[in-house]
Amino acid sequence: MNENNIKVFAPATVANVVCGFDVLGFAVNEPGDEVVMRMTGKPGITISKITGDNGRLPMDPAKNTVSVSVQHYLKSIGRNDIGLDIELHKKMPIGSGLGSSSASTVAGLFAIKTLLGDETDVASLLPFAMKGEEMACGHGHADNVAPALMGGFVLIRSYEPLDVVRLPHPEGLYCAIIFPDVDVPTREARQIIRKNIQMKDAVTQWGNIAGLVSGLFLNDIDLIGRSMKDILVEPVRSMLIPDFYKMREIAMEMGAVSFGISGSGPSVFAFTRDEDTAHRLTQKLQQHLTGIKIGSNIYVSTINDKGPRAIG
């Protein structure tokens, strides 16, 4: 980095974390996205290059989540006089359920904050990142952007007013991620969720959320595992993911602590107690998907406590 040029990496995230729909998420080490940002002499934002998206993302700065969120940030600090050029390098699959738009948006916001020497807490960027999410999927939720921005495991206690809490987690927890090559658009995945639920189901769900958060604080991996059950959203969304329940059966038989959908899918993830189990599990699930003629990407990671960072 120099005073007028920076390259930033921001991580993928797992949102919902099975039972915590729209309120829980955590960051992983890989995959992620990269943004290169340069100061220019002419006011306004341009996007000069996007790679890795197969032409799917808009170059128009009024329609791209990175530039839109950066513009909101600049407006809030009264710096619309600034000129920026942005390159976006997608290093993770779009529509994966791993917070693809969040990673791009967070990388852009962290880049401009760093270039301007803004020393406020990184969490102050969250409302601007949520603007990017609103553009990407029609709903400005924070369970992807908050962990991507702040790192670690995050609870969104409230949206109005916005109240975000960073949670502890066991050091030895590994995340095994499998992204099947099928299309599950976030907007559509939200539309199939039930609008009304029974009280007994709500009680079960919030008991599981409380159990998961307690397990994180207590370093109790068994409690984390038995709390990661979702009776509200997963039964519907799992229908969009080929062989979801078979994959869960394989994962649990191989020693996974838990198994569920990442975000709106189609990515699925498992927590394991060690790295070796995570690697064996992802390879086994990839073999299973290959057997039903579905390609996949696999990733193994600890929980990423750093969030975005300058690179190169």
Side-chain angles (χ1 to χ4, degrees), residues 246-305:
K246 181 62 181 175
M247 287 195 289
R248 181 162 74 182
E249 180 186 327
I250 292 169
M252 299 309 289
E253 284 177 354
M254 293 186 70
V257 173
S258 59
F259 183 86
I261 302 169
S262 176
S264 58
S267 288
V268 293
F269 79 103
F271 277 146
T272 68
R273 297 172 188 270
D274 60 82
E275 187 175 6
D276 181 61
T277 301
H279 281 293
R280 288 189 297 105
L281 192 155
T282 52
Q283 289 161 10
K284 181 75 171 178
L285 291 180
Q286 187 171 54
Q287 288 169 9
H288 176 78
L289 289 170
T290 300
I292 57 173
K293 295 182 169 49
I294 295 173
S296 59
N297 293 1
I298 55 177
Y299 310 96
V300 169
S301 172
T302 53
I303 293 173
N304 174 357
D305 284 313

Side-chain angles (χ1 to χ4, degrees), residues 146-166:
L149 194 56
M150 299 164 66
F153 213 116
V154 173
L155 164 72
I156 296 88
R157 189 206 65 80
S158 166
Y159 278 91
E160 294 181 6
L162 189 61
D163 186 1
V164 177
V165 183
R166 205 162 181 271

Side-chain angles (χ1 to χ4, degrees), residues 3-48:
E3 290 183 2
N4 298 310
N5 190 328
I6 189 171
K7 185 177 185 180
V8 169
F9 167 87
T13 45
V14 172
N16 301 337
V17 199
V18 182
C19 54
F21 179 71
D22 276 5
V23 299
L24 289 174
F26 63 88
V28 293
N29 295 321
E30 62 169 345
D33 281 345
E34 295 174 5
V35 162
V36 177
M37 186 174 289
R38 302 178 186 87
M39 305 282 273
T40 65
K42 182 181 177 182
I45 299 176
T46 57
I47 300 174
S48 60

Side-chain angles (χ1 to χ4, degrees), residues 31-308:
D33 281 345
E34 295 174 5
V35 162
V36 177
M37 186 174 289
R38 302 178 186 87
M39 305 282 273
T40 65
K42 182 181 177 182
I45 299 176
T46 57
I47 300 174
S48 60
K49 183 187 289 186
I50 301 178
T51 64
D53 68 326
N54 294 319
R56 293 171 63 180
L57 298 179
M59 299 282 286
D60 181 349
K63 297 178 180 177
N64 189 288
T65 61
V66 181
S67 44
V68 166
S69 56
V70 168
Q71 189 63 62
H72 279 289
Y73 166 77
L74 291 174
K75 184 178 179 182
S76 77
I77 61 171
R79 292 301 308 271
N80 286 328
D81 59 312
I82 287 177
L84 297 173
D85 178 69
I86 294 171
E87 291 181 17
L88 170 59
H89 300 287
K90 297 298 293 182
K91 302 290 186 177
M92 60 185 290
I94 297 171
S96 58
L98 294 171
S100 176
S101 60
S102 297
S104 303
T105 298
V106 165
L109 285 167
F110 188 80
I112 185 60
K113 178 181 186 295
T114 307
L115 280 177
L116 294 182
D118 180 351
E119 295 184 358
T120 58
D121 191 282
V122 73
S124 65
L125 297 174
L126 188 53
F128 311 113
M130 289 171 67
K131 288 288 188 183
E133 283 297 273
E134 190 175 343
M135 170 166 279
C137 59
H139 182 71
H141 50 86
D143 51 345
N144 283 120
V145 287
L149 194 56
M150 299 164 66
F153 213 116
V154 173
L155 164 72
I156 296 88
R157 189 206 65 80
S158 166
Y159 278 91
E160 294 181 6
L162 189 61
D163 186 1
V164 177
V165 183
R166 205 162 181 271
L167 305 175
H169 58 84
E171 293 264 330
L173 208 55
Y174 279 82
C175 180
I177 297 171
I178 303 90
F179 165 52
D181 189 13
V182 295
D183 193 24
V184 179
T186 302
R187 288 176 191 258
E188 284 78 352
R190 292 191 77 86
Q191 288 168 0
I192 64 173
I193 297 170
R194 284 187 290 161
K195 297 296 187 288
N196 298 299
I197 59 173
Q198 295 185 0
M199 178 62 77
K200 66 180 180 66
D201 290 341
V203 171
T204 299
Q205 195 83 350
W206 62 54
N208 283 331
I209 294 170
L212 173 53
V213 172
S214 298
L216 292 168
F217 272 94
L218 295 170
N219 257 9
D220 188 334
I221 292 179
D222 287 333
L223 177 56
I224 290 169
R226 66 178 184 267
S227 299
M228 287 176 64
K229 294 180 174 62
D230 175 14
I231 62 169
L232 300 181
V233 180
E234 183 180 275
V236 183
R237 283 186 167 171
S238 60
M239 294 187 293
L240 303 174
I241 301 169
D243 272 11
F244 172 80
Y245 290 105
K246 181 62 181 175
M247 287 195 289
R248 181 162 74 182
E249 180 186 327
I250 292 169
M252 299 309 289
E253 284 177 354
M254 293 186 70
V257 173
S258 59
F259 183 86
I261 302 169
S262 176
S264 58
S267 288
V268 293
F269 79 103
F271 277 146
T272 68
R273 297 172 188 270
D274 60 82
E275 187 175 6
D276 181 61
T277 301
H279 281 293
R280 288 189 297 105
L281 192 155
T282 52
Q283 289 161 10
K284 181 75 171 178
L285 291 180
Q286 187 171 54
Q287 288 169 9
H288 176 78
L289 289 170
T290 300
I292 57 173
K293 295 182 169 49
I294 295 173
S296 59
N297 293 1
I298 55 177
Y299 310 96
V300 169
S301 172
T302 53
I303 293 173
N304 174 357
D305 284 313
K306 293 186 171 66

